[in-house]
Amino acid sequence: MVPARPRVLFVTDLAYQAKGRRYCDEDIFLSSRLRDAFTVALCHPLDAAGLMDAFDAVIVRNSGPVLHYQEEYDAFREQALARGTRVYNPLNGRGDMAGKQYLLDLTAAGYPVIPTVDRPEDLHLLPRAAQYVVKPKAGADSIGLTFAPADRLAGLAYGDILVQPRIDFRYEVSFYYVDDTFQYALHAPDPARRWELEPYEPTGADLAFARKFIGWNTLDHGIQRVDACRTPEGGLLLVELEDLNPYLSLDLLPEQARDTFAAGLTASLRRFLEG
């Protein structure tokens, strides 16, 4: 039975530095709002495994790319699954939580995603481009991302990398969800300035696009961010499906929108605990 005031371990790295983003401000705001309904304690991601047994749920938020502490994160996941610990987002996400395999799966299934391959024998499946993006399967925040011309692709060390055409997109846009409910959208008008975001009013077609990936991920609870790019032809292609600890850019929202998001998160976490 869930207590009237459940205990929630809020995992965050308040000291993490990210270019163009203040992770700490976002998590201070969210944890303060969750405290209205839950007993909340904050901890560093490296301490989560040792503390989680004393709480009714663990919520993983802005803790930076887990590849900086992959071994410890893997141990946390293993222990949480073995103990039946309630982790939010749930650990069965199929997006970035599970690595970049989803880009290959979605490409093979014909979803509107930037075409992605991981084997030299599949390079012919990619559209022709002046340059190609080469990134590690375990990458995050553009860590390890490089560019290569077509004549260098065959000589790459495959196994742990992905290859995509470099898209000459008009802008990037992100759609933010709690559970399967759309919350808001933001876009970066300048492709060279990813985190200089502005409010974006999505069309029905935009939301139908984003909803395809929310449905594909099959997460019953949690925060998700669908990142896409607008092609010169006007369509959208998926860039990333972030379901581990997506940064939300809440500081760019009007106060009422921030309050609405916090209320939606609180209600979702309550449902998650009662489920």
Side-chain angles (χ1 to χ4, degrees), residues 200-245:
Y200 178 85
E201 189 64 37
T203 66
D206 292 340
L207 293 178
F209 165 89
R211 188 66 185 83
K212 289 180 182 178
F213 300 102
I214 297 298
W216 177 85
N217 202 15
T218 65
L219 271 182
D220 292 332
H221 305 277
I223 301 169
Q224 298 180 72
R225 193 184 76 216
V226 179
D227 294 337
C229 63
R230 181 77 68 185
T231 68
E233 295 75 26
L236 288 174
L237 292 176
L238 181 77
V239 175
E240 186 172 37
L241 178 57
E242 178 56 77
D243 60 1
L244 175 54
N245 51 4

Tab-separated table of all heavy atoms in Angstrom, residues 200-245:
chain	number	residue	atom	x	y	z
A	200	TYR	N	7.209	27.162	-29.367
A	200	TYR	CA	6.798	26.684	-30.692
A	200	TYR	C	5.365	26.182	-30.605
A	200	TYR	O	5.023	25.419	-29.685
A	200	TYR	CB	7.727	25.560	-31.147
A	200	TYR	CG	7.374	24.956	-32.484
A	200	TYR	CD1	7.819	25.522	-33.670
A	200	TYR	CD2	6.598	23.792	-32.567
A	200	TYR	CE1	7.504	24.968	-34.903
A	200	TYR	CE2	6.278	23.231	-33.792
A	200	TYR	CZ	6.729	23.828	-34.952
A	200	TYR	OH	6.411	23.272	-36.158
A	201	GLU	N	4.534	26.613	-31.523
A	201	GLU	CA	3.141	26.174	-31.569
A	201	GLU	C	3.023	25.052	-32.591
A	201	GLU	O	3.054	25.300	-33.805
A	201	GLU	CB	2.222	27.326	-31.944
A	201	GLU	CG	0.738	27.006	-31.802
A	201	GLU	CD	0.331	26.714	-30.364
A	201	GLU	OE1	0.864	27.370	-29.441
A	201	GLU	OE2	-0.507	25.809	-30.167
A	202	PRO	N	2.906	23.801	-32.156
A	202	PRO	CA	2.892	22.685	-33.108
A	202	PRO	C	1.586	22.594	-33.873
A	202	PRO	O	0.520	22.944	-33.347
A	202	PRO	CB	3.084	21.465	-32.209
A	202	PRO	CG	2.512	21.877	-30.891
A	202	PRO	CD	2.806	23.344	-30.756
A	203	THR	N	1.683	22.115	-35.087
A	203	THR	CA	0.500	21.831	-35.879
A	203	THR	C	-0.026	20.451	-35.522
A	203	THR	O	0.633	19.672	-34.814
A	203	THR	CB	0.830	21.876	-37.373
A	203	THR	OG1	1.737	20.787	-37.676
A	203	THR	CG2	1.487	23.199	-37.767
A	204	GLY	N	-1.196	20.137	-36.027
A	204	GLY	CA	-1.726	18.791	-35.825
A	204	GLY	C	-0.807	17.737	-36.409
A	204	GLY	O	-0.627	16.663	-35.827
A	205	ALA	N	-0.199	18.044	-37.566
A	205	ALA	CA	0.725	17.094	-38.194
A	205	ALA	C	1.979	16.905	-37.341
A	205	ALA	O	2.512	15.802	-37.241
A	205	ALA	CB	1.104	17.582	-39.597
A	206	ASP	N	2.454	17.997	-36.728
A	206	ASP	CA	3.619	17.901	-35.849
A	206	ASP	C	3.339	16.965	-34.676
A	206	ASP	O	4.165	16.110	-34.325
A	206	ASP	CB	3.982	19.281	-35.297
A	206	ASP	CG	4.505	20.244	-36.346
A	206	ASP	OD1	4.944	19.776	-37.411
A	206	ASP	OD2	4.466	21.456	-36.091
A	207	LEU	N	2.180	17.131	-34.059
A	207	LEU	CA	1.838	16.306	-32.901
A	207	LEU	C	1.616	14.850	-33.294
A	207	LEU	O	1.950	13.936	-32.531
A	207	LEU	CB	0.598	16.872	-32.212
A	207	LEU	CG	0.788	18.230	-31.538
A	207	LEU	CD1	-0.518	18.708	-30.924
A	207	LEU	CD2	1.887	18.170	-30.488
A	208	ALA	N	1.063	14.638	-34.483
A	208	ALA	CA	0.891	13.257	-34.957
A	208	ALA	C	2.249	12.605	-35.169
A	208	ALA	O	2.438	11.413	-34.867
A	208	ALA	CB	0.084	13.254	-36.252
A	209	PHE	N	3.209	13.385	-35.673
A	209	PHE	CA	4.578	12.893	-35.842
A	209	PHE	C	5.166	12.470	-34.492
A	209	PHE	O	5.656	11.350	-34.324
A	209	PHE	CB	5.443	13.984	-36.478
A	209	PHE	CG	6.922	13.736	-36.381
A	209	PHE	CD1	7.586	13.023	-37.360
A	209	PHE	CD2	7.666	14.225	-35.298
A	209	PHE	CE1	8.958	12.781	-37.269
A	209	PHE	CE2	9.025	13.993	-35.197
A	209	PHE	CZ	9.667	13.270	-36.188
A	210	ALA	N	5.114	13.384	-33.515
A	210	ALA	CA	5.703	13.086	-32.207
A	210	ALA	C	5.003	11.911	-31.537
A	210	ALA	O	5.648	11.066	-30.893
A	210	ALA	CB	5.638	14.333	-31.318
A	211	ARG	N	3.693	11.842	-31.707
A	211	ARG	CA	2.907	10.796	-31.042
A	211	ARG	C	3.296	9.398	-31.539
A	211	ARG	O	3.189	8.419	-30.787
A	211	ARG	CB	1.422	11.048	-31.272
A	211	ARG	CG	0.511	10.144	-30.468
A	211	ARG	CD	0.645	10.438	-28.978
A	211	ARG	NE	-0.122	9.502	-28.156
A	211	ARG	CZ	0.303	8.306	-27.795
A	211	ARG	NH1	1.499	7.879	-28.178
A	211	ARG	NH2	-0.444	7.526	-27.048
A	212	LYS	N	3.766	9.299	-32.779
A	212	LYS	CA	4.205	7.997	-33.299
A	212	LYS	C	5.289	7.399	-32.414
A	212	LYS	O	5.293	6.192	-32.127
A	212	LYS	CB	4.751	8.150	-34.719
A	212	LYS	CG	3.723	8.449	-35.785
A	212	LYS	CD	4.404	8.587	-37.141
A	212	LYS	CE	3.395	8.938	-38.225
A	212	LYS	NZ	4.058	9.113	-39.544
A	213	PHE	N	6.203	8.247	-31.957
A	213	PHE	CA	7.346	7.747	-31.193
A	213	PHE	C	6.997	7.541	-29.728
A	213	PHE	O	7.525	6.622	-29.093
A	213	PHE	CB	8.517	8.706	-31.370
A	213	PHE	CG	8.940	8.841	-32.803
A	213	PHE	CD1	8.574	9.937	-33.558
A	213	PHE	CD2	9.638	7.824	-33.427
A	213	PHE	CE1	8.927	10.044	-34.891
A	213	PHE	CE2	10.012	7.905	-34.757
A	213	PHE	CZ	9.644	9.027	-35.503
A	214	ILE	N	6.096	8.358	-29.206
A	214	ILE	CA	5.614	8.130	-27.853
A	214	ILE	C	4.887	6.780	-27.793
A	214	ILE	O	5.069	5.999	-26.863
A	214	ILE	CB	4.681	9.270	-27.402
A	214	ILE	CG1	5.441	10.596	-27.345
A	214	ILE	CG2	4.040	8.955	-26.054
A	214	ILE	CD1	6.576	10.629	-26.360
A	215	GLY	N	4.072	6.508	-28.801
A	215	GLY	CA	3.379	5.233	-28.860
A	215	GLY	C	4.329	4.065	-29.042
A	215	GLY	O	4.158	3.004	-28.418
A	216	TRP	N	5.342	4.249	-29.880
A	216	TRP	CA	6.312	3.176	-30.127
A	216	TRP	C	7.074	2.825	-28.850
A	216	TRP	O	7.404	1.659	-28.605
A	216	TRP	CB	7.295	3.622	-31.208
A	216	TRP	CG	8.384	2.628	-31.503
A	216	TRP	CD1	8.316	1.562	-32.349
A	216	TRP	CD2	9.702	2.613	-30.927
A	216	TRP	NE1	9.518	0.878	-32.338
A	216	TRP	CE2	10.378	1.504	-31.481
A	216	TRP	CE3	10.362	3.426	-30.014
A	216	TRP	CZ2	11.693	1.190	-31.145
A	216	TRP	CZ3	11.670	3.121	-29.669
A	216	TRP	CH2	12.315	2.016	-30.239
A	217	ASN	N	7.346	3.812	-28.019
A	217	ASN	CA	8.164	3.571	-26.831
A	217	ASN	C	7.424	2.794	-25.740
A	217	ASN	O	8.063	2.164	-24.890
A	217	ASN	CB	8.666	4.908	-26.258
A	217	ASN	CG	9.901	4.739	-25.407
A	217	ASN	OD1	10.567	3.712	-25.434
A	217	ASN	ND2	10.213	5.758	-24.628
A	218	THR	N	6.105	2.845	-25.737
A	218	THR	CA	5.255	2.049	-24.830
A	218	THR	C	5.552	2.259	-23.349
A	218	THR	O	5.334	1.363	-22.541
A	218	THR	CB	5.330	0.533	-25.154
A	218	THR	OG1	6.651	0.037	-24.901
A	218	THR	CG2	4.971	0.263	-26.605
A	219	LEU	N	6.043	3.440	-22.962
A	219	LEU	CA	6.218	3.753	-21.547
A	219	LEU	C	4.876	4.198	-20.976
A	219	LEU	O	4.291	5.173	-21.445
A	219	LEU	CB	7.237	4.886	-21.355
A	219	LEU	CG	8.710	4.529	-21.198
A	219	LEU	CD1	9.518	5.798	-20.964
A	219	LEU	CD2	8.940	3.548	-20.062
A	220	ASP	N	4.396	3.505	-19.951
A	220	ASP	CA	3.128	3.892	-19.337
A	220	ASP	C	3.256	5.159	-18.505
A	220	ASP	O	2.290	5.896	-18.326
A	220	ASP	CB	2.607	2.759	-18.447
A	220	ASP	CG	2.195	1.538	-19.252
A	220	ASP	OD1	1.799	1.711	-20.420
A	220	ASP	OD2	2.305	0.417	-18.725
A	221	HIS	N	4.444	5.398	-17.966
A	221	HIS	CA	4.676	6.557	-17.109
A	221	HIS	C	6.033	7.152	-17.452
A	221	HIS	O	6.946	6.443	-17.870
A	221	HIS	CB	4.664	6.161	-15.625
A	221	HIS	CG	3.425	5.445	-15.197
A	221	HIS	ND1	2.263	6.092	-14.854
A	221	HIS	CD2	3.162	4.115	-15.066
A	221	HIS	CE1	1.339	5.219	-14.527
A	221	HIS	NE2	1.860	3.997	-14.649
A	222	GLY	N	6.157	8.464	-17.240
A	222	GLY	CA	7.474	9.067	-17.386
A	222	GLY	C	7.488	10.310	-18.244
A	222	GLY	O	6.511	10.668	-18.903
A	223	ILE	N	8.653	10.971	-18.212
A	223	ILE	CA	8.906	12.177	-18.992
A	223	ILE	C	9.658	11.778	-20.255
A	223	ILE	O	10.654	11.046	-20.177
A	223	ILE	CB	9.753	13.173	-18.185
A	223	ILE	CG1	9.039	13.567	-16.887
A	223	ILE	CG2	10.071	14.408	-19.012
A	223	ILE	CD1	9.922	14.334	-15.924
A	224	GLN	N	9.188	12.265	-21.394
A	224	GLN	CA	9.861	11.970	-22.654
A	224	GLN	C	9.994	13.247	-23.480
A	224	GLN	O	9.132	14.121	-23.435
A	224	GLN	CB	9.089	10.933	-23.458
A	224	GLN	CG	8.947	9.588	-22.769
A	224	GLN	CD	8.176	8.599	-23.611
A	224	GLN	OE1	8.674	8.093	-24.615
A	224	GLN	NE2	6.953	8.307	-23.209
A	225	ARG	N	11.091	13.314	-24.241
A	225	ARG	CA	11.308	14.427	-25.158
A	225	ARG	C	11.588	13.872	-26.548
A	225	ARG	O	12.500	13.049	-26.715
A	225	ARG	CB	12.485	15.282	-24.697
A	225	ARG	CG	12.596	16.637	-25.422
A	225	ARG	CD	13.844	17.398	-24.995
A	225	ARG	NE	15.031	16.831	-25.618
A	225	ARG	CZ	16.211	16.752	-25.024
A	225	ARG	NH1	16.384	17.159	-23.787
A	225	ARG	NH2	17.250	16.236	-25.677
A	226	VAL	N	10.795	14.282	-27.506
A	226	VAL	CA	10.974	13.859	-28.899
A	226	VAL	C	11.666	14.992	-29.637
A	226	VAL	O	11.094	16.070	-29.824
A	226	VAL	CB	9.621	13.535	-29.559
A	226	VAL	CG1	9.820	13.126	-31.024
A	226	VAL	CG2	8.891	12.439	-28.793
A	227	ASP	N	12.914	14.776	-30.051
A	227	ASP	CA	13.676	15.784	-30.784
A	227	ASP	C	13.612	15.480	-32.272
A	227	ASP	O	13.835	14.332	-32.692
A	227	ASP	CB	15.141	15.777	-30.345
A	227	ASP	CG	15.320	16.217	-28.903
A	227	ASP	OD1	14.435	16.921	-28.392
A	227	ASP	OD2	16.351	15.858	-28.302
A	228	ALA	N	13.329	16.514	-33.058
A	228	ALA	CA	13.196	16.326	-34.503
A	228	ALA	C	13.849	17.488	-35.242
A	228	ALA	O	14.120	18.546	-34.657
A	228	ALA	CB	11.724	16.222	-34.887
A	229	CYS	N	14.096	17.308	-36.515
A	229	CYS	CA	14.586	18.395	-37.362
A	229	CYS	C	13.622	18.588	-38.527
A	229	CYS	O	13.024	17.631	-39.024
A	229	CYS	CB	16.003	18.120	-37.859
A	229	CYS	SG	16.185	16.660	-38.915
A	230	ARG	N	13.468	19.847	-38.925
A	230	ARG	CA	12.611	20.202	-40.057
A	230	ARG	C	13.469	20.223	-41.313
A	230	ARG	O	14.430	20.976	-41.422
A	230	ARG	CB	11.986	21.574	-39.834
A	230	ARG	CG	11.052	22.036	-40.958
A	230	ARG	CD	9.719	21.349	-40.888
A	230	ARG	NE	8.968	21.771	-39.704
A	230	ARG	CZ	7.799	21.238	-39.353
A	230	ARG	NH1	7.265	20.250	-40.080
A	230	ARG	NH2	7.173	21.660	-38.269
A	231	THR	N	13.152	19.374	-42.262
A	231	THR	CA	13.934	19.270	-43.490
A	231	THR	C	13.623	20.435	-44.425
A	231	THR	O	12.604	21.117	-44.273
A	231	THR	CB	13.630	17.954	-44.217
A	231	THR	OG1	12.282	17.999	-44.711
A	231	THR	CG2	13.800	16.762	-43.279
A	232	PRO	N	14.474	20.690	-45.414
A	232	PRO	CA	14.187	21.747	-46.386
A	232	PRO	C	12.860	21.542	-47.110
A	232	PRO	O	12.211	22.506	-47.536
A	232	PRO	CB	15.366	21.651	-47.365
A	232	PRO	CG	16.476	21.070	-46.550
A	232	PRO	CD	15.809	20.100	-45.617
A	233	GLU	N	12.421	20.284	-47.225
A	233	GLU	CA	11.154	19.984	-47.900
A	233	GLU	C	9.952	20.217	-46.988
A	233	GLU	O	8.805	20.145	-47.451
A	233	GLU	CB	11.152	18.543	-48.383
A	233	GLU	CG	12.192	18.219	-49.462
A	233	GLU	CD	13.603	18.111	-48.897
A	233	GLU	OE1	13.741	17.792	-47.689
A	233	GLU	OE2	14.562	18.368	-49.662
A	234	GLY	N	10.190	20.464	-45.685
A	234	GLY	CA	9.109	20.778	-44.773
A	234	GLY	C	8.704	19.658	-43.838
A	234	GLY	O	7.895	19.873	-42.927
A	235	GLY	N	9.214	18.467	-44.040
A	235	GLY	CA	8.865	17.353	-43.171
A	235	GLY	C	9.696	17.330	-41.901
A	235	GLY	O	10.633	18.109	-41.727
A	236	LEU	N	9.346	16.424	-40.997
A	236	LEU	CA	10.096	16.233	-39.768
A	236	LEU	C	10.762	14.863	-39.763
A	236	LEU	O	10.173	13.879	-40.247
A	236	LEU	CB	9.179	16.338	-38.540
A	236	LEU	CG	8.655	17.723	-38.169
A	236	LEU	CD1	7.647	17.605	-37.026
A	236	LEU	CD2	9.789	18.660	-37.782
A	237	LEU	N	11.975	14.803	-39.220
A	237	LEU	CA	12.681	13.539	-39.022
A	237	LEU	C	13.133	13.464	-37.570
A	237	LEU	O	13.620	14.454	-37.007
A	237	LEU	CB	13.905	13.443	-39.940
A	237	LEU	CG	13.664	13.326	-41.443
A	237	LEU	CD1	14.993	13.340	-42.186
A	237	LEU	CD2	12.883	12.065	-41.771
A	238	LEU	N	12.982	12.298	-36.963
A	238	LEU	CA	13.416	12.119	-35.581
A	238	LEU	C	14.938	12.223	-35.482
A	238	LEU	O	15.660	11.618	-36.260
A	238	LEU	CB	12.975	10.752	-35.052
A	238	LEU	CG	13.358	10.485	-33.594
A	238	LEU	CD1	12.424	11.228	-32.653
A	238	LEU	CD2	13.340	8.992	-33.285
A	239	VAL	N	15.395	12.985	-34.494
A	239	VAL	CA	16.810	13.068	-34.163
A	239	VAL	C	17.109	12.205	-32.950
A	239	VAL	O	18.090	11.468	-32.915
A	239	VAL	CB	17.219	14.528	-33.890
A	239	VAL	CG1	18.674	14.612	-33.410
A	239	VAL	CG2	17.017	15.378	-35.141
A	240	GLU	N	16.234	12.304	-31.930
A	240	GLU	CA	16.480	11.585	-30.685
A	240	GLU	C	15.167	11.373	-29.942
A	240	GLU	O	14.283	12.228	-29.968
A	240	GLU	CB	17.446	12.384	-29.803
A	240	GLU	CG	17.894	11.676	-28.540
A	240	GLU	CD	18.995	12.433	-27.819
A	240	GLU	OE1	18.958	13.679	-27.806
A	240	GLU	OE2	19.881	11.775	-27.272
A	241	LEU	N	15.059	10.227	-29.286
A	241	LEU	CA	13.940	9.936	-28.401
A	241	LEU	C	14.513	9.797	-27.002
A	241	LEU	O	15.053	8.761	-26.629
A	241	LEU	CB	13.219	8.656	-28.844
A	241	LEU	CG	12.050	8.191	-27.973
A	241	LEU	CD1	10.989	9.277	-27.847
A	241	LEU	CD2	11.433	6.916	-28.556
A	242	GLU	N	14.422	10.873	-26.228
A	242	GLU	CA	15.074	10.931	-24.919
A	242	GLU	C	14.095	10.522	-23.824
A	242	GLU	O	13.103	11.192	-23.574
A	242	GLU	CB	15.587	12.351	-24.675
A	242	GLU	CG	16.244	12.551	-23.316
A	242	GLU	CD	17.393	11.593	-23.061
A	242	GLU	OE1	18.489	11.811	-23.604
A	242	GLU	OE2	17.157	10.620	-22.316
A	243	ASP	N	14.382	9.399	-23.183
A	243	ASP	CA	13.496	8.879	-22.132
A	243	ASP	C	14.249	8.502	-20.859
A	243	ASP	O	13.711	7.829	-19.993
A	243	ASP	CB	12.708	7.664	-22.639
A	243	ASP	CG	13.599	6.508	-23.075
A	243	ASP	OD1	14.840	6.629	-22.973
A	243	ASP	OD2	13.069	5.474	-23.521
A	244	LEU	N	15.501	8.960	-20.744
A	244	LEU	CA	16.272	8.661	-19.541
A	244	LEU	C	16.193	9.824	-18.556
A	244	LEU	O	15.592	9.730	-17.500
A	244	LEU	CB	17.728	8.348	-19.898
A	244	LEU	CG	18.679	8.138	-18.720
A	244	LEU	CD1	18.156	7.077	-17.770
A	244	LEU	CD2	20.073	7.778	-19.220
A	245	ASN	N	16.805	10.942	-18.903
A	245	ASN	CA	16.764	12.133	-18.035
A	245	ASN	C	16.722	13.394	-18.904
A	245	ASN	O	17.635	14.212	-18.863
A	245	ASN	CB	17.958	12.154	-17.074
A	245	ASN	CG	19.290	11.968	-17.793
A	245	ASN	OD1	19.347	11.888	-19.012
A	245	ASN	ND2	20.379	11.927	-17.040
